[in-house]
Each structure stands twice: as structure tokens, then as C-alpha cells.
Amino acid sequence: MAGIPLSDDYPVRRVPAVTYLLIAANVAVYLASPMSLMAVWYGADLGERICAVDHYIFRWGAVPMELFTGRQAASPTPCPGEPAATAPWLTVFTSMFLHGDALHLLSNMVYLFVFGPVVEDRLGRVRYTGLYLASGAVATVAFALTDTAAQVPLVGASGAISGVLGAYLVVQFRSRVITLVFFVLPVRLPGWALVGTYFVLQYVLYVSVSLYPGAGETSVAYAAHVYGFVAGAAMALLIHRIRWRAGTRLSDVY
């Protein structure tokens, strides 16, 4: 989207502690990773640093081939040694907290900061945490299913955050979001329009890449965004239905 969300006008009733902890965890993992120092790495040891990044991503990122075969993928970079192995099922979750660079991290955290508190407030902290992690896991596995032989690691919180956006569309679509349109002009837009546009754009790009894989290489996992969004929306609908039915039964009793 040609815009950056800045704030939502929904008044949350309590501090969104889980959202802040998730943001802090993502930032902390990035700062502790080899990727955070790439911008200031110069000199003869640059090749060693690149290999450190390569080994780190292959160790903690989710590699589709590893998820479905259990075999460790070979890095395409000519680096000495092999990255340490991690249980494939564990990388489904660790990959959510990895980011390739600062811009990747920043863009994800902006969306989580704006939309996460609203969803957390409406669903509750425990349900919100479960939805976040489950959406990210579904996004990762679904992306891997699109090409089970792929050996490129999937990293980033985009799938989980897409799940948060999908849940937002269900629980609080009436809000308005202040957005920097074309990165310059602040405009109040309906939340449903902003989030809906995000999903449509991701879906169109996903279909385009699927139909015309040779049209151009991309490092963006559009499939993960689409499936994460759908998973988040579905889980939010289910949670709302369960809570509504529970509330109806209680009102019948009292």
C-alpha cells in the first residue's frame, strides 16, 4: 500500500502488554542477530560476516524442504562449515522473530503497533497471543506447502501480523486509522478499507507470482501474508462466536 498507518482511533481499555512484548521480542532478536550489524560491517572480514548471517538464517528460518523431509537444506553461499541444525517444527515459530534487515523489521512493527493493541483489547491477552502464534504458524506451513522442495528460508513476522490484520477486520472494522498516504499526506481512513486493501493487494500479488513465476524474482512471501490473514480472520470469527454463545447462555440463566 502507498501509505503508512500511524494510529487507530479505538480507545483501548488497558495497556496492550502482549503487543508491546512482541515488539520488544522482535527488536531484541534482531539486535542480537548478525543481520543488525551488516550496515556497519566493512573490511576484509565482510565475507565471514555474510557467512555468519547465512548460517544464522538457515539455522532459525523455516525452510520448506526441511519441514516436509527432515533433511537439512544446503546453503547456496560458499561458506565454510554447515549451519547448526534446529528441529524443523521449532523453526515454524523461531522464523516469526527473524528479520532480514532494519526496514523489514520496522515495517512489520509499525503494523503490529497500530493494529495489535485493538485486537488484543477486543480478544483478550491469552486469545490474542494464541491467535498471533497460530496465524504465524499457519502462514509458514501454508507457504511451505506451495513449494515443498524450496530450500530458501522463510523469515519475518509478516504472516503473524497478517493474522492480526485479519482479526482486526472482524473485531473492529469500524475504526478509523490515520495513515500517511503516499508517505506524505495524513488522512483518516476506515479501518476496513485499509486492511481490506492490504489483503486484496497481497492476494493479487500472490496470484501473479503463482501464475507467472518467471515474470520477476521477489523475496516477499505473499502466500504467507494471504494465508496468515485468512487464518487470523477465521480464528477471530470463531472466538467471537464462542464468546457470544457463552454470553447468551449466561443471560438466559441470570
Side-chain angles (χ1 to χ4, degrees):
M1 289 183 293
I4 303 174
L6 299 179
S7 67
D8 178 276
D9 65 2
Y10 175 80
V12 296
R13 296 165 292 182
R14 55 185 175 179
V15 176
V18 174
T19 296
Y20 292 163
L21 284 173
L22 287 171
I23 293 173
N26 277 279
V27 172
V29 168
Y30 178 75
L31 292 177
S33 72
M35 287 83 81
S36 67
L37 299 178
M38 281 301 293
V40 294
W41 275 341
Y42 300 101
D45 63 343
L46 180 59
E48 297 178 8
R49 307 295 187 174
I50 292 175
C51 286
V53 170
D54 185 85
H55 284 183
Y56 184 86
I57 291 178
F58 269 86
R59 179 178 184 181
W60 301 111
V63 182
M65 188 191 78
E66 293 181 356
L67 291 176
F68 294 103
T69 67
R71 301 196 310 270
Q72 187 171 2
S75 169
T77 307
C79 295
E82 292 293 334
T86 302
W89 68 266
L90 183 59
T91 64
V92 170
F93 297 97
T94 59
S95 62
M96 298 182 206
F97 295 91
L98 305 185
H99 291 86
D101 54 44
L103 183 60
H104 186 201
L105 172 69
L106 179 61
S107 61
N108 277 341
M109 294 306 102
V110 165
Y111 274 83
L112 183 57
F113 178 78
V114 172
F115 296 102
V118 179
V119 179
E120 179 179 347
D121 187 75
R122 295 301 304 272
L123 297 184
R125 290 171 177 167
V126 174
R127 296 184 186 93
Y128 171 70
T129 303
L131 181 141
Y132 182 93
L133 295 175
S135 295
V138 169
T140 300
V141 174
F143 171 81
L145 282 170
T146 63
D147 186 0
T148 57
Q151 299 188 44
V152 178
L154 174 67
V155 299
S158 303
I161 295 171
S162 292
V164 172
L165 296 182
Y168 177 93
L169 189 62
V170 172
V171 303
Q172 193 55 37
F173 62 90
R174 297 183 182 89
S175 292
R176 289 186 173 273
V177 180
I178 298 177
T179 307
L180 281 181
V181 177
F182 299 114
F183 311 104
V184 176
L185 181 65
V187 178
R188 285 167 57 89
L189 297 174
W192 64 266
L194 190 63
V195 173
T197 301
Y198 167 84
F199 176 74
V200 170
L201 179 61
Q202 299 304 307
Y203 182 77
V204 169
L205 291 171
Y206 167 46
V207 171
S208 299
V209 171
S210 300
L211 293 178
Y212 307 103
E217 295 296 328
T218 178
S219 60
V220 181
Y222 298 115
H225 301 173
V226 170
Y227 292 117
F229 188 100
V230 172
M235 283 185 280
L237 282 170
L238 179 61
I239 292 170
H240 257 273
R241 179 175 176 79
I242 292 173
R243 293 177 69 183
W244 178 82
R245 295 188 65 179
T248 301
R249 288 195 295 270
L250 287 174
S251 65
D252 291 340
V253 173
Y254 295 103

